Amino acid sequence: MPNLRYLEPTELLEKIYATLCSEYEDAQHYESEQDQKEITVTKKRLTKKIFNEFVVDEEYFLTMNEKTFNERYQLYEVDLLKMIQECSENRIEYETFVQIIDDLIASAKFRLQAFEQLSDEIQKLQEEDEQVEQEEDEEE
């Protein structure tokens, strides 16, 4: 298993990913329109199941508080779904797949840290301004 920084892969994640890869492979062998429609629905559903199975900071995307998810990962949702689809469609090895997802989640984490750092700096400046104002008021 690759050295992951943020993603905490589950056993089920690996199984769903293998199933999705299998669906892409199977799709090549079915010609009827009905079969293709069913396979398309299955692929979409499995892609979403994989997405929901991601665990970061001991929390599943599926059960994550909506506000928390929106702040941290919503900006990356389209990219994550695209990564799942393209990795499974091209039968990328599972270990490589989770590394790719971990790298994208790292990007989301770094973005969050940058905004937190900005908020901290703004708060420090505001506190300094308030202290200067208090000192000026005390001098008067």
Side-chain angles (χ1 to χ4, degrees):
M1 183 62 68
N3 188 19
L4 303 176
R5 294 173 288 176
Y6 301 104
L7 182 65
E8 302 163 26
T10 64
E11 211 174 290
L12 186 55
L13 177 64
E14 185 172 6
K15 290 176 181 176
I16 298 169
Y17 180 73
T19 304
L20 181 56
C21 290
S22 176
E23 283 295 317
Y24 276 100
E25 192 173 328
D26 289 353
Q28 299 170 16
H29 303 288
Y30 289 92
E31 294 179 13
S32 83
E33 188 176 325
Q34 182 61 33
D35 286 338
Q36 286 298 322
K37 284 181 182 179
E38 290 173 2
I39 289 171
T40 298
V41 169
T42 301
K43 290 187 295 190
K44 285 180 181 180
R45 186 68 193 122
L46 288 171
T47 298
K48 189 64 175 173
K49 282 191 73 62
I50 288 172
F51 180 82
N52 288 335
E53 190 66 20
F54 291 155
V55 178
V56 179
D57 298 328
E58 299 180 0
E59 195 166 5
Y60 286 84
F61 276 15
L62 178 65
T63 58
M64 189 175 287
N65 174 294
E66 185 177 348
K67 181 178 183 265
T68 302
F69 177 82
N70 290 342
E71 288 174 351
R72 297 178 185 179
Y73 306 108
Q74 184 178 28
L75 183 63
Y76 291 83
E77 185 172 3
V78 170
D79 291 337
L80 287 163
L81 291 169
K82 182 178 180 180
M83 294 290 185
I84 296 166
Q85 186 255 319
E86 289 192 18
C87 285
S88 56
E89 182 176 9
N90 292 289
R91 294 185 295 281
I92 303 297
E93 289 186 30
Y94 176 74
E95 288 77 17
T96 304
F97 164 70
V98 293
Q99 185 64 63
I100 289 169
I101 297 299
D102 187 67
D103 289 346
L104 191 54
I105 290 171
S107 175
K109 291 288 223 176
F110 291 137
R111 177 184 172 274
L112 180 64
Q113 288 173 338
F115 277 108
E116 288 173 348
Q117 184 179 0
L118 175 62
S119 293
D120 290 346
E121 290 301 315
I122 290 170
Q123 185 174 0
K124 283 180 194 176
L125 290 172
Q126 289 172 342
E127 289 172 359
E128 288 173 7
D129 287 347
E130 288 175 8
Q131 187 166 354
V132 168
E133 285 179 17
Q134 282 179 348
E135 290 173 0
E136 290 175 351
D137 288 345
E138 289 173 2
E139 288 177 2
E140 293 178 357

